[in-house]
């Protein structure tokens, strides 16, 4: 779940989170905050799990501060997104593509007319288009930014980059900083 810290008592080590789109407040204790490089602050966006405590009240567990790197960045305290792997559907698509190619070529050789390959050729392009545009979702919704190591949740941009085989993913802030560094067209 995603939410925002709405109150935080630093001296007592607890606070409250309001889940996105809800008005209720969920209690959280410092012990449930994963080793972040700094303490929670009001306004922090968090990703958390919630569970009922012994008295039936909702309590946040496994709280991660978004945009804050994990403690000990020099060690392996990073959330790495496993690379995209090919699944059965991919191999099935490759098989179909090869088969269609063989059929198209066979028809062309047998008839000598290119238009005889039109139907299998068209299906070939459609299958190719879908297999190239198929999007998968990373197993873990979170990742550590490759630049600033801040914990971030995947969004459309990072999922797309990941699907294209990029294993270095950047948080929104780093991405926007990078965009600003790019020369703007037509502004001279
Ligand atoms: Zn970053």
């Amino acid at each position: 779940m995603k939410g925002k810290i709405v109150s935080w008592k630093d001296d007592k080590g607890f606070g409250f989170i309001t889940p996105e789109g809800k008005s209720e407040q969920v209690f959280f204790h410092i012990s449930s905050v994963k080793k972040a490089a700094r303490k929670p602050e009001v306004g922090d966006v968090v990703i958390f799990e919630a569970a009922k405590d012994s008295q039936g009240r909702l309590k946040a567990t496994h709280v991660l501060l978004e945009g804050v790197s994990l403690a000990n960045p020099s060690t392996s305290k990073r959330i790495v997104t496993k690379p995209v792997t090919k699944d059965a559907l991919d191999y099935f698509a490759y098989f179909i593509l090869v088969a269609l190619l063989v059929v198209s070529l066979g028809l062309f050789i047998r008839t000598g007319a290119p238009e005889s390959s039109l139907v299998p050729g068209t299906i070939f392009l459609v299958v190719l288009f879908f297999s190239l545009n198929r999007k998968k979702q990373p197993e873990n919704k979170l990742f550590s930014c490759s630049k600033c190591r801040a914990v971030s949740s995947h969004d459309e941009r990072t999922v797309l980059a990941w699907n294209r085989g990029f294993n270095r993913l950047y948080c929104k802030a780093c991405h926007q900083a990078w965009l600003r560094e790019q020369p703007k067209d037509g502004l001279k």
Side-chain angles (χ1 to χ4, degrees):
M1 251 193 280
K2 208 165 181 171
K4 203 176 230 177
I5 296 180
V6 287
S7 85
W8 171 246
K9 299 238 183 308
D10 197 40
D11 50 334
K12 297 195 174 103
F14 72 83
F16 289 90
I17 296 166
T18 298
E20 217 168 46
K22 288 183 185 163
S23 57
E24 62 180 331
Q25 296 200 345
V26 181
F27 173 87
F28 79 101
H29 187 257
I30 187 73
S31 60
S32 61
V33 179
K34 283 216 187 154
K35 292 181 170 55
R38 66 158 172 79
K39 284 184 178 176
E41 285 169 11
V42 171
D44 276 343
V45 174
V46 293
I47 294 126
F48 67 99
E49 285 162 33
K52 292 229 166 102
D53 67 9
S54 53
Q55 283 154 53
R57 288 172 307 190
L58 213 52
K59 190 180 156 185
T61 55
H62 298 98
V63 180
L64 264 164
L65 309 179
E66 187 164 273
V68 177
S69 52
L70 299 180
N72 308 322
S74 56
T75 61
S76 58
K77 290 258 179 223
R78 304 188 62 179
I79 306 168
V80 177
T81 305
K82 277 189 217 150
V84 199
T85 49
K86 304 231 177 295
D87 56 19
L89 200 57
D90 286 315
Y91 291 113
F92 181 64
Y94 295 152
F95 174 75
I96 298 287
L97 286 172
V98 171
L100 285 166
L101 209 59
V102 170
V103 169
S104 307
L105 264 170
L107 282 171
F108 177 62
I109 289 164
R110 195 172 297 175
T111 61
E115 57 273 21
S116 63
S117 312
L118 209 61
V119 171
T122 306
I123 304 172
F124 176 87
L125 290 176
V126 170
V127 174
L128 187 69
F129 178 82
F130 278 108
S131 76
L132 288 179
N133 282 286
R134 199 173 146 234
K135 249 196 246 167
K136 291 172 195 164
Q137 292 296 321
E139 240 173 79
N140 192 333
K141 286 194 174 76
L142 300 168
F143 69 96
S144 294
C145 173
S146 285
K147 196 172 180 194
C148 69
R149 291 168 187 272
V151 175
S152 253
S153 45
H154 280 290
D155 59 16
E156 228 170 285
R157 172 181 60 83
T158 58
V159 167
L160 190 68
W162 174 75
N163 270 278
R164 287 181 178 160
F166 291 99
N167 48 17
R168 294 173 69 85
L169 299 169
Y170 300 99
C171 72
K172 208 177 253 171
C174 287
H175 176 69
Q176 274 162 1
W178 177 82
L179 283 179
R180 275 194 298 273
E181 282 167 22
Q182 301 308 300
K184 288 193 182 88
D185 291 325
L187 281 176
K188 276 171 191 163

